Amino acid sequence: MHGWTGYFLRVDLTAKTWQKESFTEEFAHKWVGGRGFAVKILYDEVKPGIDPLGPENKFVVALGPISGIPSPNTGKAVVAAISPLTGFYGDGNLGTRVAEQLRKAGYDALIVEGRAERPTLLSIEDDKVEFLPADEVWGQGTYACNDWIYAKYGKGVGVLNIGQGGESMARYAVVRSLEGRAGGRPGIGAVMGSKRLKAVVVKGTKPIPQADPEAMKILGSGDLRKVGQIDKQSGWSIQSTTGVLPFCNEVAGLPVRNFRKTHHPDAWKVDGERCNNARVATYGCPTCTMRCGITIHDDEGRESELDYENVALLGPNLEIFGLPQVGALNYLCDDYGLDTMSAGCTLSFYADAIDHGAASGDFRFGDAKRAKELLGLAARREGPIGNLLADGSLRMARAFGHGSEAYAMQVKGLEVAAYNCKFIPGQALSFGVAPIGAHHREAWIITFEIKHSTRESYGPEKAAKVIELQRIRGGLFEFIVACRFPWIENGWPLENYPKYFNTVTGLNWGLDDMWRVADRIYAMIKLHYLRQFPDADRRGDYPPAIWFDPTNADTEGPITGKVLEMDKYDGMLQHYYDQRGYDRRGIPTKATLLSLGLAEEAAAAEKFAALT
Amino acid sequence: MNILVKIIGPLIYTVGFSEKQMDVPAGMTADELASLLGIPKERSRIMTRNGAAVAPDARLAEGDKVAVSPIYSGG
């Protein structure tokens, strides 16, 4: 078997034991890596109904066959667990040297079980695994923890760590790495915290097995250079993702005031041009030649690395338009190890609930000072409001009542990313059917809808576009584990990715083979969902109710008087189910599961709920 | 006729400004405006007028707000 090391590292924090486990070629070909490995491991090994914050949950770090090999842009890892935010499978990816180091240590995935007695630093160096005390950094933020590890091991090691948010098990705590990288929005950092796992450090010295290493060296390194040259020509990384903000503002797709408004005259104050003008440094992931991490000084002079989602949801969505203040909120989320998107949506929900009489409190839109304090309370679960904020917007809404769930901006418990779909039906569908909750990674079709003037349409072409993008974005890039930006932002051809895959594995796969793996993974995430929620129905795929509320329509601007229409949305959702081979609940049919080679997994699901 | 032109993302550095009130010949099309701004034809872009997509051959009108953006595909 080439391309894969052929081994997982399984670590038990309770017993302080570890073992190296082999997997078969058949397994590798069926699940490939990254999200594919994680979804299968967690399905087979974690029983439905367990407490995601208990020792029965497992924390998985998974890589793909091109991870760690110089090529565009493979310095990323998938982190996954059963989510404490949504209750079922959750994952995310982040740029980290762990991608290279874990593969060089001889593993394609790390599976962490149990719960340590004391705060622990898990150290992996090839075949040596140590459980080291981390008491001295327990209670500290991710930056201090990172520095502590670098001081011990040097800067070349791979690091994953958590901040106070993960330690206190805030349900949207993330895993962090390098200076500004974060992943695992659905609380994967909280799962690390529940295991008292403060950090993982990895160093590897072995070669990564490849079918044709010389050919890959020429192909991968050459293509990395080409991607860098293309980026220089396009200029994408001058503003990186922050350039999206003025576009969303222009087309009435920006979240403002907890998504109640879609644009704002002051949005320019935090747009891509302002971010670039304020830049003091640029950071990126390993093996990247189009680095996107625009870093500014926040209002206390600290370096804060921005991207579009962070700025939009911690800025306009809270009606905060001072870039240094937005930078400070972003810095705090990063240091506490909280997801910036869920934090922004949860804070905006709280302000909105106070505005609408569903909650009492002293937080108002535009109050950056109080927002900072509230992030600290949430990260430490301090006091009743800190505890509520740490649970995310859906649980808060259920605690507040008064119909506030309608404007808790989430799907399946995961807060929506920074695209206001009040009148963008296809993007609303993207959020609705994103399998782990409202993540923007799975599909992003705003530009498609605007460019082709199909904003009014709820037709089957929208469902088809969502599926096409899911296969690429949530599928291919998540199971081979590479960054999607070279392709989506600089037009790097998709056909190159099977080339890399084939050169390292010796196989002869095309994109159609990749789409089949992607469909299998999506079906598996739905089985996770069904197993956890046997009474699940299509309402779980509905976006927030406020987007359908005519009283919430814009009163001026490009979409005056318009909101989504539920009967039409439901029809578009059915198109998606029909094209996917899912039933009316949004669950893959038995025939679909069998066609994807999931007979065994279907039988396991049937112990909990009926399939059609 | 007078129109407001908004340039988004890295196109700002091609065109040389991010927002400007411009006096352009009456009946100018969206494509002609892009040429006037010095945006190469081969550069993929999306143009909107008052928040909605505008076709390359659509004629602009007095008071329009025209935005020119690269094709973003998500953060």
Side-chain angles (χ1 to χ4, degrees), chain A residues 34-40 42-43 46 52 57-62 78-93 171 173 175 183-189 191 412 414 434-439 441-442 478 524-526 528-529 532-533:
Chain A
R35 190 177 221 184
F37 283 171
V39 77
K40 174 63 172 164
L42 289 165
Y43 191 78
V46 181
N57 200 356
K58 300 192 183 190
F59 167 58
V60 176
V61 182
V78 166
V79 291
I82 302 304
S83 162
L85 187 64
T86 66
F88 67 108
Y89 176 84
D91 67 11
N93 76 58
R171 291 181 191 272
V175 180
R185 290 191 56 209
I188 311 306
V191 175
K412 300 182 184 69
L414 181 66
I436 65 164
H439 207 299
R441 164 190 49 186
E442 316 285 344
E478 295 296 317
M524 277 295 287
I525 299 176
K526 295 307 293 187
H528 267 281
Y529 183 64
Q532 188 63 40
F533 306 109

Side-chain angles (χ1 to χ4, degrees), chain A residues 234-235 238-239 241 243-244 246-247 250-251 273 276 309 419 440 444 447 450-451 453 455 473 484-485 488-489 558, chain B residues 6 8-13 17-18 43 45-46 48 50-54 65-67 69-75:
Chain A
S234 76
I238 298 172
Q239 294 187 8
T241 63
V244 176
F247 175 72
E250 201 59 35
V251 301
E273 193 180 9
N276 181 47
E309 272 75 21
Y419 307 97
H440 63 294
W444 199 94
T447 310
I450 303 291
K451 185 170 174 66
S453 299
R455 203 160 175 165
R473 297 169 59 113
R484 61 183 180 266
F485 284 165
I488 58 174
E489 303 297 6
Chain B
K6 166 101 182 151
I8 290 172
L11 290 174
I12 291 171
Y13 312 99
F17 65 84
S18 54
R43 187 85 185 255
R45 59 177 178 264
I46 177 169
T48 62
N50 307 322
V54 59
K65 183 181 183 188
V66 181
S69 171
I71 307 283
Y72 281 112
S73 298

Side-chain angles (χ1 to χ4, degrees), chain A residues 299-300 320 325 328-329 332 347 362-376:
Chain A
D299 63 2
E300 294 185 33
I320 295 170
Q325 286 71 38
L329 296 175
L332 290 173
L347 286 177
D362 59 355
F363 182 47
R364 297 287 183 274
F365 286 109
D367 187 348
K369 183 171 176 288
R370 185 61 181 149
K372 284 201 258 185
E373 292 165 359
L374 290 173
L375 284 177

Side-chain angles (χ1 to χ4, degrees), chain A residues 73-370:
Chain A
N73 279 1
T74 54
K76 301 202 108 185
V78 166
V79 291
I82 302 304
S83 162
L85 187 64
T86 66
F88 67 108
Y89 176 84
D91 67 11
N93 76 58
L94 74 165
T96 173
R97 291 193 195 96
V98 166
E100 178 187 5
Q101 297 299 329
L102 192 62
R103 295 260 289 157
K104 285 185 171 172
Y107 311 106
D108 292 316
L110 166 68
I111 305 164
V112 181
E113 306 175 343
R115 174 182 283 162
E117 203 172 306
R118 305 285 313 159
T120 296
L121 166 66
L122 178 66
S123 168
I124 301 162
E125 190 171 348
D126 292 336
D127 294 331
K128 183 179 165 194
V129 177
E130 292 182 290
F131 301 83
L132 304 171
D135 302 75
E136 66 180 285
V137 284
W138 193 257
Q140 295 194 27
T142 62
Y143 289 106
C145 181
N146 215 44
D147 288 346
W148 178 69
I149 291 170
Y150 283 167
K152 275 175 177 287
Y153 296 91
K155 281 194 169 183
V157 294
V159 177
L160 300 173
N161 68 9
I162 58 168
Q164 297 92 334
E167 293 173 12
S168 72
M169 294 178 269
R171 291 181 191 272
Y172 45 91
V174 287
V175 180
R176 295 259 298 147
S177 192
L178 298 168
E179 289 80 6
R181 312 264 90 83
R185 290 191 56 209
I188 311 306
V191 175
M192 277 183 74
S194 74
K195 297 183 176 305
R196 300 193 183 99
L197 179 60
K198 179 67 176 174
V200 180
V201 59
V202 192
K203 190 176 177 186
T205 59
K206 302 172 193 171
I208 298 169
Q210 301 177 55
D212 193 342
E214 281 310 307
M216 189 60 198
K217 194 174 172 182
I218 295 165
L219 176 66
S221 301
D223 281 2
L224 259 179
R225 275 195 299 277
K226 286 180 200 164
V227 165
Q229 287 159 0
I230 292 170
D231 186 64
K232 277 197 175 65
Q233 285 162 9
S234 76
W236 175 79
S237 60
I238 298 172
Q239 294 187 8
S240 303
T241 63
T242 62
V244 176
L245 193 143
F247 175 72
C248 286
N249 193 48
E250 201 59 35
V251 301
L254 186 71
V256 179
R257 202 177 175 88
N258 196 36
F259 290 75
R260 289 193 181 268
K261 298 179 185 173
T262 60
H263 53 282
H264 196 285
D266 287 339
W268 66 271
K269 294 178 180 173
V270 292
D271 70 7
E273 193 180 9
R274 257 39 61 175
C275 289
N276 181 47
N277 290 346
R279 183 197 304 256
V280 294
T282 305
Y283 295 115
C285 301
T287 66
C288 176
T289 48
M290 45 182 286
R291 297 188 306 159
C292 63
I294 296 176
T295 303
I296 66 160
H297 279 151
D298 74 359
D299 63 2
E300 294 185 33
R302 301 168 297 200
E303 283 194 359
S304 177
E305 185 181 327
L306 304 175
D307 66 35
Y308 166 64
E309 272 75 21
N310 309 350
V311 175
L313 291 169
L314 294 168
N317 190 43
L318 296 172
E319 292 201 326
I320 295 170
F321 296 99
L323 194 55
Q325 286 71 38
V326 175
L329 296 175
N330 180 67
Y331 172 88
L332 290 173
C333 283
D334 281 353
D335 198 34
Y336 293 140
L338 295 175
D339 172 44
T340 51
M341 290 177 247
S342 284
C345 287
T346 302
L347 286 177
S348 69
F349 167 76
Y350 182 41
D352 210 6
I354 293 168
D355 252 14
H356 286 80
S360 57
D362 59 355
F363 182 47
R364 297 287 183 274
F365 286 109
D367 187 348
K369 183 171 176 288
R370 185 61 181 149

Side-chain angles (χ1 to χ4, degrees), chain A residues 351-417:
Chain A
D352 210 6
I354 293 168
D355 252 14
H356 286 80
S360 57
D362 59 355
F363 182 47
R364 297 287 183 274
F365 286 109
D367 187 348
K369 183 171 176 288
R370 185 61 181 149
K372 284 201 258 185
E373 292 165 359
L374 290 173
L375 284 177
L377 297 182
R380 296 184 295 270
R381 281 193 177 273
E382 201 172 301
I385 195 60
N387 218 25
L388 267 175
L389 286 165
D391 277 344
S393 61
L394 178 59
R395 284 176 174 82
M396 269 191 119
R398 288 179 177 163
F400 291 160
H402 298 284
S404 60
E405 199 170 320
Y407 53 89
M409 300 309 295
Q410 54 75 38
V411 179
K412 300 182 184 69
L414 181 66
E415 283 72 18
V416 299

